[in-house]
Amino acid sequence: MDTTTIFRTMSFFTTYASICDTSGNLLFYSNGLTIGNHNYDTLHNAINFNPGSATDYYEPDGLGIDQAVLILPEPGKLTAILCFFMRVGSFF
């Protein structure tokens, strides 16, 4: 799939993470502020899941922190996915 031609309402600055199934189909992705699903729609309860001064500063462009989100399948479980994110309490 050519993702450069797909319109997304979610902006990306520096932070980007995504995960696909074993066939390469997109499951979901994140910019550190919001999590979107394979239909490029926001997941339930996935807006502002990462509160803090960095979130306030970078909203709505996505976090400007390298490797601030990591998405991995949970070992030993076929349907569980873990999303780790960096939370910055005091940014300045």
Side-chain angles (χ1 to χ4, degrees), residues 5-91:
T5 60
I6 296 172
F7 175 77
R8 298 175 203 87
T9 57
M10 184 187 306
S11 298
F12 295 93
F13 183 53
T14 301
T15 301
Y16 180 83
S18 64
I19 192 162
C20 297
D21 63 17
T22 56
S23 298
N25 300 307
L26 179 66
L27 297 175
F28 64 89
Y29 58 98
S30 177
N31 65 358
L33 305 177
T34 305
I35 302 173
N37 66 18
H38 67 281
N39 291 322
Y40 307 102
D41 194 8
T42 304
L43 291 178
H44 184 66
N45 292 327
I47 297 175
N48 299 323
F49 70 93
N50 187 6
S53 59
T55 299
D56 296 340
Y57 181 78
Y58 286 111
E59 182 75 37
D61 299 319
L63 283 181
I65 302 169
D66 292 329
Q67 301 176 349
V69 177
L70 177 64
I71 302 171
L72 297 169
E74 186 170 346
K77 297 185 179 179
L78 297 175
T79 59
I81 298 171
L82 305 172
C83 182
F84 300 94
F85 58 92
M86 178 184 288
R87 183 173 179 188
V88 181
S90 178
F91 191 61

